[in-house]
Amino acid sequence: MVVHIDRGLTPRVSDPPHVLRRGAHDQILGLLMLAVAVLLLLMPMATQVGPKDAQIN
């Protein structure tokens, strides 16, 4: 027999609006990180900065 002690640290019923806000927050951060990664990848190619041999090949 296992006895669980509830210390009041975790809510018994999750708060649906909070879960949705947290999910939306994670999605927004993910999209921002993707946008920054694409910009960091494409900016040197668009501005022609860097070694020219690698861009021509």
Side-chain angles (χ1 to χ4, degrees):
M1 180 167 129
V2 177
V3 177
H4 294 283
I5 300 173
D6 183 19
R7 296 189 176 139
L9 299 176
T10 58
R12 293 198 180 266
V13 178
S14 64
D15 184 17
H18 175 70
V19 171
L20 290 175
R21 280 193 309 268
R22 186 173 190 134
H25 179 261
D26 292 345
Q27 290 293 322
I28 290 170
L29 282 179
L31 286 174
L32 285 174
M33 287 192 295
L34 178 65
V36 168
V38 168
L39 282 174
L40 287 174
L41 180 70
L42 295 179
M43 281 304 287
M45 287 185 256
T47 58
Q48 299 296 322
V49 176
K52 302 299 180 205
D53 292 347
Q55 291 178 2
I56 292 171
N57 290 337

